[in-house]
Amino acid sequence: MHVRHYIAATIIAALGLLAGGCVYTDYSLGGQYVPDEEDILIRTVDIDIPVGLKLADSLQTSSSYSAVVGSMYTEEFGGVHIGTALTITPLYDSIRWGVNPVFKSMYVSLAPSSTFTMQDDQKHIPQNFYVYQLNRQLDSTDMYCNSIRPGDYGSQQVNSGTCLFMGDTTVLRFTEAFGSQLFEIDTTALDSTALFLEKFHGIYIACDRQDEGCVGGRINHFDLSGSYATMQFTSTNDAGIRRDTTVYFSLGASKSLLSIEAGRKDDECDDATDVLLYQGYNGVKPYINGTRLRQALDLWLQRDGLNHENVLVTHATMEFPFEYTGDPDQLSYYPTSLYPHLRASGSGYTVYTPISEIYNSSYDNGSINRSLSLYRPDVALYLQNLIRKKVDEVPADYDIYMMSTTSYTTTTSSASSSYYSYYYYYYYGYDPTETSTTYYYADTKNYAQGRLNGTRALRHPKLHITYTVLR
């Protein structure tokens, strides 16, 4: 009995020592054996970002099967006016006019896929829609928000009567003079989209402009993939019988191109000290000159005695804070994301494209952080490439425009299938033979606006860098 008590007491005492003891971990243990040239230290630094404001001119707005028509005015950003140029092409290649065709009617029903307003009482305001015939053919160079000019379409309406649009489905009815032109197009052109577009260029749709200084308005988005221009006519067929015929035309199948007026040149500046403004479309955006940012980095490198060729960036984020006013509607109009875009010009074309980090799912894609009231996109790869540049050799395509992004996902399936692929699909809802690829673009279709903190605010834009120095 005495032996058992002694053993139990010994165990309890040992447990007590373990429980009450403090275990110290020395992470530098053995560090004296690592050569200095191989010792890696991780450091961090915060750098103020030199941010100005600039309009996103030459914004690409070409697509297909879509249209945006609207007009809006806000006190802070002024007017936004949008129209769309659309191609009209035969839905099928079997249209035959017959003998002595006579126009009866031509119309298209439009139902908005979405609308945007800054006030609830503007959701169903009346807007007059106007349709004009294009004077020239749209080609591959017509891809920007400023590609369509007033002289590119006629001054006379080709829609008959008044088309009053109030946010619901509306019908555009075309005049007889407009529709009857189609009878002049021969069979060869009717069977070829390219030849047809040479003879019949398409239409331009616009609406009433919101009066300057009158806050309000609405922007309307239309998905045209299920909308067709319906044309009815009578003619005599080969059997000598007079008959009624209905034919259909696609809207925007070959091209739809937004024409946008937005932004004020007076808002542009080199240093936005008080506030950073963001406006969608081709409006004003936070803008970072690549050379100025490289100069700010050089000041840090010189101060800390670093060489730009030996600094390895392991992580980097840009922070753009904003102040929440307490108004629950405030953030409804803010961009859903802000991400660095580069303005690349080559082969005569200009495109705004997000930096490559957006394709890494482990990085922050610049989504709005409502709890911290900021946008925080990751920029490590961009920054590493910028640091490697000499201060006086930074190209213009390193300039950054902070813009909202949109994505498009394509899915492909391999030809091979097996019991296992069926099993995974049946039980887990996915096909292992399918692969998906997501592409990211600057958002050119959705409107947003917001105010971010300027460069002299207490919470101002910063670049947070985690780095090491290679020896």
Side-chain angles (χ1 to χ4, degrees), residues 388-401:
R388 289 288 188 265
K389 302 286 182 185
K390 293 182 179 180
V391 178
D392 56 351
E393 295 180 359
V394 178
D397 55 11
Y398 269 72
D399 295 351
I400 283 177
Y401 292 77

Side-chain angles (χ1 to χ4, degrees), residues 94-133:
S94 57
I95 294 178
R96 299 296 179 263
W97 301 126
V99 179
N100 297 323
V102 177
F103 177 87
K104 292 184 67 176
S105 68
M106 185 176 182
Y107 64 90
V108 59
S109 296
L110 294 178
S113 55
S114 64
T115 60
F116 179 88
T117 63
M118 298 291 290
Q119 300 94 5
D120 289 340
D121 61 1
Q122 301 290 294
K123 289 182 178 179
H124 298 284
I125 60 170
Q127 292 172 308
N128 288 308
F129 274 28
Y130 308 99
V131 184
Y132 307 95
Q133 187 169 356

